[in-house]
């Protein structure tokens, strides 16, 4: 006669279930955090690239022969780009129609003033500060006190005329040799777009370049 063997079977205990759930929760949080950090880094890198490309576009318009506005026969006007700290989500390419090497326009870009193209930063990215370096190497950063930074490109020179204006639209005395645009994400990650007066070079940097 065959004798059936008995097996001791049991399920998970409450403690074991709690441990398993805790481990799975930690893994899920790590994956979510890493995914958020990756998306955040990608967003600010994309924004910095867009800003640098817009600078190069303004540089190209100013360096070459670009009509002052659609339908115009005037190809002699300089072009520039402006970063307004009171409007930190947007930046504008403009035609310097009055020749003052500064921005005289609004935020609509409807062809009624110097504004020619409007670009909007996405994914919570904004311009945190603009900084400018004097010819003697002294670096000065502006946030709420300064209103905007302009980079104007005058043919045939590839280097920008750098100007900074305060909230009363009064120019802060230069001259400046380097301009910095500091971008910041919602999580506080920062990137910098830098352009130089002497060479006209435009670079993107992730390492801190300003205090």
């Amino acid at each position: 006669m065959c004798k059936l063997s008995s097996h001791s079977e049991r399920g998970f205990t409450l403690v074991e279930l709690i441990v398993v759930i805790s481990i799975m929760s930690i893994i899920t949080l790590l994956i979510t955090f890493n995914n958020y950090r990756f998306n955040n880094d990608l967003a600010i890198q994309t924004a910095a690239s867009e800003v640098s490309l817009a600078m190069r576009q303004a540089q190209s318009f100013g360096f070459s022969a670009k009509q002052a506005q659609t339908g115009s026969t005037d190809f002699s006007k300089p072009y520039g780009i402006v970063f307004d700290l009171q409007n930190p989500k947007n930046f504008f390419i403009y035609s310097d129609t009055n020749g003052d090497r500064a921005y005289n326009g609004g935020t609509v870009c409807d062809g009624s003033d110097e504004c020619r193209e409007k670009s909007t930063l996405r994914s919570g990215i904004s311009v945190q500060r603009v900084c400018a370096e004097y010819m003697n190497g002294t670096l000065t950063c502006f946030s709420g006190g300064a209103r905007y930074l302009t980079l104007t490109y005058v043919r045939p020179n590839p280097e920008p005329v750098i100007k900074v204006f305060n909230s009363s639209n009064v120019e802060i005395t230069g001259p400046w040799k380097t301009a910095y645009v500091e971008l910041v994400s919602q999580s506080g990650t920062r990137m910098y777009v830098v352009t130089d007066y002497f060479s006209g070079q435009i670079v993107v940097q992730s390492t801190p370049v300003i205090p």
Side-chain angles (χ1 to χ4, degrees), residues 11 30 38 47 52 59 71 73 76 93-94 97 108 147 167 194 204 211:
L30 289 174
F38 172 79
S52 66
Q59 184 184 51
T73 58
S76 64
I93 290 178
Y94 63 91
T97 54
V108 179
R147 182 185 173 194
S167 56
V194 186
V204 175

Side-chain angles (χ1 to χ4, degrees), residues 85-150:
L85 292 174
Q86 295 180 359
N87 190 7
K89 297 287 186 181
N90 301 295
F91 53 92
F92 308 88
I93 290 178
Y94 63 91
S95 174
D96 184 22
T97 54
N98 67 356
D100 65 353
R101 308 299 185 259
Y103 181 59
N104 300 280
T107 61
V108 179
C109 286
D110 58 1
S112 63
D113 52 33
E114 290 188 342
C115 186
R116 295 294 173 262
E117 294 184 23
K118 175 181 179 179
S119 298
T120 300
L121 296 168
R122 297 164 292 176
S123 303
I125 309 299
S126 62
V127 177
Q128 177 75 5
R129 293 183 296 173
V130 294
C131 300
E133 185 178 2
Y134 284 100
M135 293 295 179
N136 64 7
T138 302
L139 181 67
T140 304
C141 292
F142 307 96
S143 51
R147 182 185 173 194
Y148 59 91
L149 165 75
T150 63

